Amino acid sequence: MRSIFGKGLTVAPLLLAVALAGCAAEPGKPTQAAKAKPSDFSEWPCMSYTLACGKIPTRKPVTQALVGPLNGDPVRGQALANERSKGNCVACHLLKGAEQPGSKGPDLTAYGTWGRSDAEIYALVYDMRSRNPDTVMPPAGANQILTDQELRDVIAFLQSSK
Amino acid sequence: MAGTHHFSLTRLALATLCAVAVNTQAADAVYREAFPRVAIDPSRGVAGGGDADFGATLQYWQDDQALEKSKPWIGNPEHEWKLNWKFMDLDHTDDMHPGYLALEQGEKLFKFWAKREPAFRTCLGEGKTDFKGLAAGYPKYDPKLKKIMTVESRVEHCAKTALWEDFKQGSPANNQISLYFKSLSTNMPIKVDTSSTEIMDSYRRGEKLFYTKVGQYNFSCASCHTTTGLLGQRFRGQVPTSPFADAAHFPTYRVGLGDIESLQQRFMRCNLQARTKGLPPGDPAYTDLEVFYTVLSNDYPVSVPSAR
């Protein structure tokens, strides 16, 4: 068995991981401490058999209508889509200008050419379960991951992706 | 008169029954969604890791031979996830890594306390003084305590009853002693007793938790750890891997933390990353999840000390 791990090979992944761990803080991004109120997420459904969060119902799928004109800012939207603590859309999707994009969701780099209406995209990002109950996509609107204005900004960014 | 009395008692009993039934229904009626279930046969143990729903990766890491063949994939972002990080099970080597320091610390701690209070040893071994192979049978149902015990809850229990000390689950003392206890079963196949009713009841509860969506992201464990979800897909800088054989290498040295971590501490961290309330190690829900996870490691050897 020794043969599989040369001395160098054993140490290299550890050293690499130590180096990468240092990057986890994401220089330039706001830290947890800088935010208003850190949450322990107990206001959302949890696995506990006894705590109150174990009895909090999951929010049911909704088809949310877009009210009025979109009025979104694509530049802000792009930042929100990349931001880990916000949209984090990049975790699963390939988006324009994405760093470390994911591969689960569809490639959205040209989403603006797909001919979808603002209202349709708004409803899907608000809660994808309205179209696919088995989706892994978090309901960004229904579960308050993004505010109404933030959703509008993200959709403006998606529509501008051509 | 007597008849009327009897009648009213029956009515009362019926009414009580109905009230209980309604209450149970109300408790069960909390709306929850489940990620699509995969049929897992618990009797197959780690062999289920070869199924397509879990990435069919078993062939690449099931034993030393398979790992040796897959070695060229280490560091390759397209393929590395298929090794299920098993190349980090450094118990096979003489090379030092910090997991060994924790193990040494655990051995020292255990020997210090076992010398001072021999009852600590007999409690941990449930009467046996040689611990070889014992950890491979955990989690197990303890008929005396009427509880499912993990290695960590046994250490906590024995510290309390034999030493009057608080080695809470997730504490450095508990993790180190648990690591030492598990290391005495290294390379021995995990054998959780799936013929035990209590274990299988716990397994089913754990399985249900695995698929139940929770938290602000509305994620279940399965959202990331099945191929219907994110398993094998790039997810930011990472690629989620198979849940099979995961229980074998805990407690493990976490490079990013600079410390060892138990399986249930890993559950807690996972929950928080998915914006879900983390539960304390030893929580009954996490114990059920650990039973589920460890049954998915059945027949795979205990692999500590490891690093991740």
Side-chain angles (χ1 to χ4, degrees):
Chain A
M1 190 56 226
R2 269 231 10 76
S3 57
I4 190 166
F5 312 107
K7 284 262 179 207
L9 250 187
T10 307
V11 179
L14 285 179
L15 288 180
L16 181 66
V18 169
L20 285 175
C23 308
E26 290 188 88
K29 303 252 169 93
T31 59
Q32 282 290 338
K35 278 178 206 154
K37 192 180 152 210
S39 166
D40 71 349
F41 308 113
S42 55
E43 68 270 40
W44 300 101
C46 72
M47 289 185 167
S48 173
Y49 300 138
T50 49
L51 296 177
C53 54
K55 306 273 188 294
I56 295 175
T58 296
R59 296 184 183 189
K60 292 196 174 165
V62 284
T63 308
Q64 188 73 16
L66 174 67
V67 179
L70 185 63
N71 283 336
D73 175 352
V75 177
R76 267 201 316 245
Q78 180 168 19
L80 288 165
N82 271 284
E83 178 63 50
R84 222 172 265 255
S85 66
K86 282 294 182 182
N88 205 11
C89 317
V90 171
C92 290
H93 292 283
L94 186 57
L95 295 172
K96 271 183 88 171
E99 294 166 40
Q100 289 192 313
S103 60
K104 176 68 188 175
D107 176 347
L108 302 179
T109 45
Y111 196 63
T113 66
W114 290 24
R116 304 267 171 96
S117 72
D118 293 342
E120 184 182 2
I121 307 174
Y122 185 87
L124 295 183
V125 182
Y126 192 94
D127 194 341
M128 181 57 84
R129 293 173 301 170
S130 60
R131 178 160 296 177
N132 171 14
D134 290 341
T135 186
V136 281
M137 184 160 143
N143 278 8
Q144 294 172 292
I145 296 160
L146 297 175
T147 64
D148 175 62
Q149 185 56 53
E150 288 169 340
L151 286 167
R152 290 167 187 267
D153 294 341
V154 167
I155 287 144
F157 163 62
L158 287 172
Q159 291 287 40
S160 76
S161 300
K162 288 175 183 170
Chain B
M1 227 6 224
T4 322
H5 185 64
H6 181 250
F7 173 73
S8 60
L9 266 182
T10 315
R11 271 183 55 147
L12 184 70
L14 269 174
T16 315
L17 261 177
C18 289
V20 169
V22 166
N23 269 338
T24 319
Q25 238 180 11
D28 284 345
V30 173
Y31 177 69
R32 281 279 184 284
E33 293 170 353
F35 201 70
R37 274 214 192 197
V38 174
I40 299 176
D41 175 359
S43 71
R44 293 174 66 207
V46 76
D51 294 355
D53 298 309
F54 295 97
T57 62
L58 181 71
Q59 54 184 312
Y60 305 120
W61 51 264
Q62 60 187 341
D63 52 30
D64 292 349
Q65 252 182 323
L67 260 180
E68 177 71 38
K69 253 199 249 170
S70 322
K71 197 172 76 171
W73 281 346
I74 297 176
N76 179 333
E78 280 302 307
H79 299 291
E80 190 180 62
W81 64 273
K82 295 176 193 164
L83 300 178
N84 203 12
W85 299 105
K86 290 302 177 190
F87 58 90
M88 299 288 275
D89 288 349
L90 302 172
D91 58 308
H92 304 285
T93 76
D94 303 327
D95 296 328
M96 272 309 274
H97 66 86
Y100 278 100
L101 301 179
L103 173 57
E104 238 174 59
Q105 205 56 36
E107 183 173 4
K108 262 192 222 157
L109 253 181
F110 168 74
K111 288 189 170 157
F112 170 83
W113 285 107
K115 195 174 169 195
R116 182 174 280 192
E117 292 291 345
F120 186 50
R121 181 189 294 271
T122 44
C123 176
L124 274 183
E126 292 174 277
K128 291 189 181 134
T129 49
D130 180 4
F131 295 167
K132 196 170 165 52
L134 295 188
Y138 275 89
K140 60 179 182 179
Y141 180 70
D142 186 323
K144 274 188 219 148
L145 298 173
K146 295 190 169 55
K147 265 175 83 173
I148 305 273
M149 300 297 279
T150 60
V151 169
E152 286 81 2
S153 70
R154 176 76 66 197
V155 169
E156 184 177 39
H157 167 77
C158 294
K160 197 95 205 145
T161 53
L163 312 174
W164 304 279
E165 289 286 343
D166 225 0
F167 292 171
K168 273 178 70 152
Q169 295 181 57
S171 69
N174 190 307
N175 280 347
Q176 288 163 3
I177 295 173
S178 297
L179 177 58
Y180 169 66
F181 186 83
K182 266 193 107 169
S183 76
L184 300 173
S185 299
T186 279
N187 288 329
M188 300 175 80
I190 293 171
K191 296 276 178 211
V192 180
D193 181 9
T194 49
S195 69
S196 148
T197 317
E198 290 84 1
I199 284 290
M200 285 316 289
D201 287 348
S202 171
Y203 171 91
R204 292 295 172 203
R205 290 191 299 269
E207 183 182 38
K208 189 175 171 201
L209 286 174
F210 183 81
Y211 292 102
T212 304
K213 294 188 189 179
V214 286
Q216 192 178 16
Y217 282 153
N218 205 31
F219 271 8
S220 67
C221 309
S223 301
C224 285
H225 298 289
T226 63
T227 47
T228 328
L230 293 156
L231 199 161
Q233 300 284 345
R234 282 190 306 284
F235 187 42
R236 279 273 178 179
Q238 299 175 321
V239 182
T241 55
S242 166
F244 284 81
D246 264 4
H249 65 271
F250 282 93
T252 189
Y253 179 77
R254 294 299 306 262
V255 177
L257 288 178
D259 206 350
I260 53 168
E261 176 174 71
S262 68
L263 181 60
Q264 296 197 18
Q265 281 176 298
R266 185 72 191 94
F267 291 155
M268 185 170 76
R269 195 173 305 284
C270 233
N271 267 169
L272 289 172
Q273 282 169 333
R275 298 200 189 175
T276 308
K277 167 89 176 164
L279 306 178
D283 186 279
Y286 280 0
T287 301
D288 289 338
L289 208 50
E290 176 162 352
V291 167
F292 174 70
Y293 260 76
T294 317
V295 168
L296 302 192
S297 299
N298 259 352
D299 304 319
Y300 192 83
V302 174
S303 319
V304 296
S306 64
R308 287 293 188 275

